[in-house]
Amino acid sequence: MDDFLKREQKAASAQKPVPAAVPSRPSASGLSRSPVPGSVRSPVSGPARSEAGSNPGQAEAIAHRDGPMLVLAGPGSGKTYTITQRIRCLIEEGGTQPDSILVITFTRAAADEMKGRFLRLTEGKFYPVNFGTFHAIYYHILKSAYHYQSGNILSEHEKRELLKTVLFRQKGLPVLDEDQLELLLNQISRYKNDGCPGALPDSPQEMPQAGALSWEQFLSVYLAYSREAKERRKLDFDDMVLGCRDLFLQYPSILAAWQKKFRYILVDEFQDINAMQYEVLRMLALPENNLFVVGDDDQSIYAFRGARPELMLGFQKDYPQAKRVELSINYRSTPEILACAGTLISVNKNRFEKKSRAASAHGEAVRFLGFPDRTVQNEKIAQELLDAGEERGKDAVIFRTNRDAAELAELLTKKGVPFWMKEKLKSPYRSQTALDLRAYLAFVFAGQKRSDFFRIMNRPKRYISRSSVDTERVDLDRLKAFYRDKPYMREILRKLEMDLARLKRMDPYAAVNYIRRGLGYDEYLKQSALEGNGRLQELRQEADWFQKQVREFSTQEDLEEHILFYEKELESATAKKPGEDSVSLLTMHASKGLEYDAVYLPDCNEGTIPHKKSMKGEQVEEERRMFYVAMTRARKRLTLTWVAGTKEEPGFLSRFLNDLGFQDAGKRLV
């Protein structure tokens, strides 16, 4: 490094970068490389040779040499093949030094898959190409400058604890529950990914959602959180990107060294990039701008992480000299599936127009089924999966949210159908309402334990003090004696005693119904929603679901035995390997990048897809993109279903099915 940089760094604080040359080999920061045997020719000009097996779009992309290029790669169009073939051609036909090539993906699994494909393509020649995620690459750059260690990275637990510390020190803030805390962490992350302006926006329209906090409170918390992290010399994954930007802006010589090192940059899934990742990427690509980006704006579904399709849509404005090529042949889905998905996504306005066509012959028509309720819908899907036998390992059921999968997972457990889940599903038996109702049943039928009583004694409000219970087994006579000087409390306890005695004579289903209506639990839910959480509909749905599940159990003991078995199945579902004889249960987000012979998309109802919280403007376009991603996971068969519901709680056909012309089919129920 030059003397000027050394002088700058000597005068810097402990967190400022230490003079260091760009390392010739990455350390254990996440970049993946291997040594190359022998030497490689110096770069030469001229186009690279394409593979004979490439289609015209792929061949053009593979042969691209210098300067920026945008590759529009729809589902199943062979983008990984195209990227790896271009890397090979850059090295073997263009004479590019392998270690000057940087390949960026969004997940470690994708980076490993890309590297593995490249090794197979080059028959194990071990060219030292750099493969890594954005965070791994940017952290490697920061680590080289600041000498960070693994202990400097905040774990998820540490992030939560740090935020709790900051919130405790702030005055005048509302108390946040665990869900609100998680939302706040996500908002902080989004704020960083959007550039972290650190000041009030010019207009209210530019203000992010701050959840339970006002915008001013959010900004104060964010600044305090960032300050605390810096004082502890800690950084989270978003700081890796921001820190890299700040490093490059402060030390142009360090930026120049990394620009010299990475002469060719290839980015997979470019539609998922956020503003800060893109800003740093553009710095790195200068001055040659050998930036090769591959993606599909129709699959941009990570707005909650700061991803914006307009970054990809504006690529050619940022790089007017950029060439654009479309990988238009789909090697995955049948023409019927592709046509259906194409009709849907064409409704979006903020997108590139494409001319995708299927390479395969005609297959089955897309199936659309309407059901009177979710029980019948899930029974139909579960039965078909049961009948599929071991072939169900090639099938998937894709939901809008993880919670939507709970009912089907329950049914598959009862039928003995194995399933795999990419993401852990929180047991619906551990929702607030389910735990309350289980505690009532356990108190009545399983020994009147103090832990159960503490949960139910003031749900609804009875003004019972915890200090009134001093034994492990609750004795209501002792409790009444505690309140001997308070006649109104003795009357409350007398009524509770009568209610509990009545419950003991009921089966679990009748007991739950009485708890809700006779004891006033539903009224408690209403009051609870009014006082703070605002989730009345959700809480009632949780209670309805639990009551429905309880119907088939004659005793509380049988119910708890089933819950134990079900929760073990949920726990093991993520530990299994996908495929084999296990059907995949996935969210739309988690399904991205995967493919299956048969795909079921249940609950195609307004409020589910599009989600009830995403009904405005660009939100609907992203919801449509999510539906498109889910549809295009299917290779041979695609089934869309919806639920009519009841007169009291009717279901409405998703607008996306209206886009597809299924209005009339929706009136015919199975």
Side-chain angles (χ1 to χ4, degrees), residues 649-666:
E649 293 187 22
F652 297 98
L653 194 71
S654 169
R655 70 188 71 186
F656 300 154
L657 296 186
N658 288 331
D659 295 340
L660 296 171
F662 284 130
Q663 300 95 322
D664 292 336

PDB file of all heavy atoms in Angstrom, residues 649-666:
ATOM      1  N   GLU A 649     -68.047 -16.908   7.350  1.00  0.00           N
ATOM      2  CA  GLU A 649     -66.682 -16.576   6.956  1.00  0.00           C
ATOM      3  C   GLU A 649     -66.432 -17.071   5.530  1.00  0.00           C
ATOM      4  O   GLU A 649     -65.760 -18.068   5.308  1.00  0.00           O
ATOM      5  CB  GLU A 649     -65.675 -17.195   7.917  1.00  0.00           C
ATOM      6  CG  GLU A 649     -65.729 -16.610   9.320  1.00  0.00           C
ATOM      7  CD  GLU A 649     -64.609 -17.110  10.204  1.00  0.00           C
ATOM      8  OE1 GLU A 649     -63.573 -17.550   9.668  1.00  0.00           O
ATOM      9  OE2 GLU A 649     -64.763 -17.081  11.437  1.00  0.00           O
ATOM     10  N   PRO A 650     -66.975 -16.364   4.533  1.00  0.00           N
ATOM     11  CA  PRO A 650     -66.829 -16.814   3.150  1.00  0.00           C
ATOM     12  C   PRO A 650     -65.406 -16.656   2.644  1.00  0.00           C
ATOM     13  O   PRO A 650     -64.662 -15.768   3.074  1.00  0.00           O
ATOM     14  CB  PRO A 650     -67.786 -15.897   2.391  1.00  0.00           C
ATOM     15  CG  PRO A 650     -67.866 -14.653   3.221  1.00  0.00           C
ATOM     16  CD  PRO A 650     -67.752 -15.117   4.649  1.00  0.00           C
ATOM     17  N   GLY A 651     -65.022 -17.543   1.748  1.00  0.00           N
ATOM     18  CA  GLY A 651     -63.743 -17.414   1.068  1.00  0.00           C
ATOM     19  C   GLY A 651     -63.952 -16.798  -0.306  1.00  0.00           C
ATOM     20  O   GLY A 651     -64.972 -17.024  -0.952  1.00  0.00           O
ATOM     21  N   PHE A 652     -63.021 -16.009  -0.741  1.00  0.00           N
ATOM     22  CA  PHE A 652     -63.125 -15.348  -2.036  1.00  0.00           C
ATOM     23  C   PHE A 652     -61.961 -15.775  -2.922  1.00  0.00           C
ATOM     24  O   PHE A 652     -60.814 -15.859  -2.476  1.00  0.00           O
ATOM     25  CB  PHE A 652     -63.125 -13.828  -1.859  1.00  0.00           C
ATOM     26  CG  PHE A 652     -64.304 -13.321  -1.070  1.00  0.00           C
ATOM     27  CD1 PHE A 652     -64.175 -13.046   0.288  1.00  0.00           C
ATOM     28  CD2 PHE A 652     -65.535 -13.144  -1.672  1.00  0.00           C
ATOM     29  CE1 PHE A 652     -65.258 -12.593   1.031  1.00  0.00           C
ATOM     30  CE2 PHE A 652     -66.629 -12.693  -0.934  1.00  0.00           C
ATOM     31  CZ  PHE A 652     -66.489 -12.420   0.421  1.00  0.00           C
ATOM     32  N   LEU A 653     -62.297 -16.058  -4.158  1.00  0.00           N
ATOM     33  CA  LEU A 653     -61.313 -16.510  -5.131  1.00  0.00           C
ATOM     34  C   LEU A 653     -60.191 -15.477  -5.275  1.00  0.00           C
ATOM     35  O   LEU A 653     -60.442 -14.285  -5.391  1.00  0.00           O
ATOM     36  CB  LEU A 653     -61.988 -16.734  -6.478  1.00  0.00           C
ATOM     37  CG  LEU A 653     -61.208 -17.527  -7.538  1.00  0.00           C
ATOM     38  CD1 LEU A 653     -61.120 -18.993  -7.147  1.00  0.00           C
ATOM     39  CD2 LEU A 653     -61.894 -17.399  -8.901  1.00  0.00           C
ATOM     40  N   SER A 654     -58.935 -15.945  -5.239  1.00  0.00           N
ATOM     41  CA  SER A 654     -57.799 -15.045  -5.418  1.00  0.00           C
ATOM     42  C   SER A 654     -57.897 -14.315  -6.750  1.00  0.00           C
ATOM     43  O   SER A 654     -58.248 -14.903  -7.778  1.00  0.00           O
ATOM     44  CB  SER A 654     -56.486 -15.830  -5.360  1.00  0.00           C
ATOM     45  OG  SER A 654     -55.402 -15.029  -5.787  1.00  0.00           O
ATOM     46  N   ARG A 655     -57.559 -13.043  -6.734  1.00  0.00           N
ATOM     47  CA  ARG A 655     -57.551 -12.255  -7.970  1.00  0.00           C
ATOM     48  C   ARG A 655     -56.595 -12.843  -8.996  1.00  0.00           C
ATOM     49  O   ARG A 655     -56.758 -12.640 -10.196  1.00  0.00           O
ATOM     50  CB  ARG A 655     -57.179 -10.803  -7.661  1.00  0.00           C
ATOM     51  CG  ARG A 655     -55.726 -10.580  -7.236  1.00  0.00           C
ATOM     52  CD  ARG A 655     -55.472  -9.166  -6.753  1.00  0.00           C
ATOM     53  NE  ARG A 655     -56.110  -8.951  -5.466  1.00  0.00           N
ATOM     54  CZ  ARG A 655     -56.144  -7.764  -4.850  1.00  0.00           C
ATOM     55  NH1 ARG A 655     -55.562  -6.716  -5.394  1.00  0.00           N
ATOM     56  NH2 ARG A 655     -56.738  -7.643  -3.680  1.00  0.00           N
ATOM     57  N   PHE A 656     -55.590 -13.586  -8.508  1.00  0.00           N
ATOM     58  CA  PHE A 656     -54.633 -14.189  -9.432  1.00  0.00           C
ATOM     59  C   PHE A 656     -55.279 -15.306 -10.247  1.00  0.00           C
ATOM     60  O   PHE A 656     -54.915 -15.533 -11.400  1.00  0.00           O
ATOM     61  CB  PHE A 656     -53.420 -14.715  -8.675  1.00  0.00           C
ATOM     62  CG  PHE A 656     -52.673 -13.658  -7.901  1.00  0.00           C
ATOM     63  CD1 PHE A 656     -51.928 -13.995  -6.785  1.00  0.00           C
ATOM     64  CD2 PHE A 656     -52.720 -12.340  -8.293  1.00  0.00           C
ATOM     65  CE1 PHE A 656     -51.244 -13.020  -6.073  1.00  0.00           C
ATOM     66  CE2 PHE A 656     -52.032 -11.347  -7.581  1.00  0.00           C
ATOM     67  CZ  PHE A 656     -51.302 -11.703  -6.469  1.00  0.00           C
ATOM     68  N   LEU A 657     -56.253 -15.997  -9.669  1.00  0.00           N
ATOM     69  CA  LEU A 657     -56.985 -17.000 -10.426  1.00  0.00           C
ATOM     70  C   LEU A 657     -57.960 -16.343 -11.396  1.00  0.00           C
ATOM     71  O   LEU A 657     -58.252 -16.891 -12.458  1.00  0.00           O
ATOM     72  CB  LEU A 657     -57.714 -17.956  -9.480  1.00  0.00           C
ATOM     73  CG  LEU A 657     -56.804 -18.790  -8.580  1.00  0.00           C
ATOM     74  CD1 LEU A 657     -57.610 -19.808  -7.790  1.00  0.00           C
ATOM     75  CD2 LEU A 657     -55.716 -19.491  -9.368  1.00  0.00           C
ATOM     76  N   ASN A 658     -58.450 -15.171 -11.028  1.00  0.00           N
ATOM     77  CA  ASN A 658     -59.223 -14.386 -11.990  1.00  0.00           C
ATOM     78  C   ASN A 658     -58.347 -14.005 -13.177  1.00  0.00           C
ATOM     79  O   ASN A 658     -58.795 -14.025 -14.329  1.00  0.00           O
ATOM     80  CB  ASN A 658     -59.789 -13.139 -11.333  1.00  0.00           C
ATOM     81  CG  ASN A 658     -60.928 -13.444 -10.362  1.00  0.00           C
ATOM     82  OD1 ASN A 658     -61.643 -14.424 -10.547  1.00  0.00           O
ATOM     83  ND2 ASN A 658     -61.089 -12.632  -9.338  1.00  0.00           N
ATOM     84  N   ASP A 659     -57.093 -13.621 -12.904  1.00  0.00           N
ATOM     85  CA  ASP A 659     -56.142 -13.319 -13.981  1.00  0.00           C
ATOM     86  C   ASP A 659     -56.022 -14.494 -14.945  1.00  0.00           C
ATOM     87  O   ASP A 659     -55.825 -14.309 -16.153  1.00  0.00           O
ATOM     88  CB  ASP A 659     -54.755 -13.000 -13.415  1.00  0.00           C
ATOM     89  CG  ASP A 659     -54.710 -11.727 -12.584  1.00  0.00           C
ATOM     90  OD1 ASP A 659     -55.616 -10.885 -12.738  1.00  0.00           O
ATOM     91  OD2 ASP A 659     -53.762 -11.571 -11.792  1.00  0.00           O
ATOM     92  N   LEU A 660     -56.152 -15.716 -14.411  1.00  0.00           N
ATOM     93  CA  LEU A 660     -55.978 -16.922 -15.209  1.00  0.00           C
ATOM     94  C   LEU A 660     -57.270 -17.410 -15.844  1.00  0.00           C
ATOM     95  O   LEU A 660     -57.277 -18.415 -16.563  1.00  0.00           O
ATOM     96  CB  LEU A 660     -55.383 -18.037 -14.341  1.00  0.00           C
ATOM     97  CG  LEU A 660     -53.969 -17.782 -13.806  1.00  0.00           C
ATOM     98  CD1 LEU A 660     -53.567 -18.848 -12.788  1.00  0.00           C
ATOM     99  CD2 LEU A 660     -52.977 -17.755 -14.956  1.00  0.00           C
ATOM    100  N   GLY A 661     -58.385 -16.714 -15.566  1.00  0.00           N
ATOM    101  CA  GLY A 661     -59.658 -17.087 -16.169  1.00  0.00           C
ATOM    102  C   GLY A 661     -60.350 -18.267 -15.517  1.00  0.00           C
ATOM    103  O   GLY A 661     -61.114 -18.990 -16.165  1.00  0.00           O
ATOM    104  N   PHE A 662     -60.111 -18.473 -14.212  1.00  0.00           N
ATOM    105  CA  PHE A 662     -60.701 -19.604 -13.513  1.00  0.00           C
ATOM    106  C   PHE A 662     -61.986 -19.246 -12.760  1.00  0.00           C
ATOM    107  O   PHE A 662     -62.454 -20.000 -11.903  1.00  0.00           O
ATOM    108  CB  PHE A 662     -59.704 -20.191 -12.508  1.00  0.00           C
ATOM    109  CG  PHE A 662     -58.617 -21.017 -13.128  1.00  0.00           C
ATOM    110  CD1 PHE A 662     -57.294 -20.802 -12.811  1.00  0.00           C
ATOM    111  CD2 PHE A 662     -58.928 -22.021 -14.024  1.00  0.00           C
ATOM    112  CE1 PHE A 662     -56.291 -21.566 -13.368  1.00  0.00           C
ATOM    113  CE2 PHE A 662     -57.931 -22.789 -14.596  1.00  0.00           C
ATOM    114  CZ  PHE A 662     -56.604 -22.569 -14.275  1.00  0.00           C
ATOM    115  N   GLN A 663     -62.597 -18.092 -13.060  1.00  0.00           N
ATOM    116  CA  GLN A 663     -63.774 -17.657 -12.309  1.00  0.00           C
ATOM    117  C   GLN A 663     -64.893 -18.694 -12.340  1.00  0.00           C
ATOM    118  O   GLN A 663     -65.473 -19.030 -11.315  1.00  0.00           O
ATOM    119  CB  GLN A 663     -64.304 -16.328 -12.855  1.00  0.00           C
ATOM    120  CG  GLN A 663     -63.318 -15.176 -12.781  1.00  0.00           C
ATOM    121  CD  GLN A 663     -62.541 -14.996 -14.061  1.00  0.00           C
ATOM    122  OE1 GLN A 663     -62.166 -15.977 -14.717  1.00  0.00           O
ATOM    123  NE2 GLN A 663     -62.320 -13.754 -14.430  1.00  0.00           N
ATOM    124  N   ASP A 664     -65.206 -19.210 -13.512  1.00  0.00           N
ATOM    125  CA  ASP A 664     -66.308 -20.167 -13.636  1.00  0.00           C
ATOM    126  C   ASP A 664     -65.977 -21.494 -12.973  1.00  0.00           C
ATOM    127  O   ASP A 664     -66.815 -22.115 -12.317  1.00  0.00           O
ATOM    128  CB  ASP A 664     -66.646 -20.392 -15.117  1.00  0.00           C
ATOM    129  CG  ASP A 664     -67.245 -19.154 -15.756  1.00  0.00           C
ATOM    130  OD1 ASP A 664     -67.818 -18.322 -15.023  1.00  0.00           O
ATOM    131  OD2 ASP A 664     -67.147 -19.020 -16.998  1.00  0.00           O
ATOM    132  N   ALA A 665     -64.731 -21.930 -13.131  1.00  0.00           N
ATOM    133  CA  ALA A 665     -64.317 -23.183 -12.515  1.00  0.00           C
ATOM    134  C   ALA A 665     -64.418 -23.103 -11.003  1.00  0.00           C
ATOM    135  O   ALA A 665     -64.679 -24.101 -10.328  1.00  0.00           O
ATOM    136  CB  ALA A 665     -62.897 -23.539 -12.935  1.00  0.00           C
ATOM    137  N   GLY A 666     -64.227 -21.893 -10.468  1.00  0.00           N
ATOM    138  CA  GLY A 666     -64.261 -21.715  -9.029  1.00  0.00           C
ATOM    139  C   GLY A 666     -65.629 -21.944  -8.416  1.00  0.00           C
ATOM    140  O   GLY A 666     -65.755 -22.172  -7.222  1.00  0.00           O
TER     141      GLY A 666
END
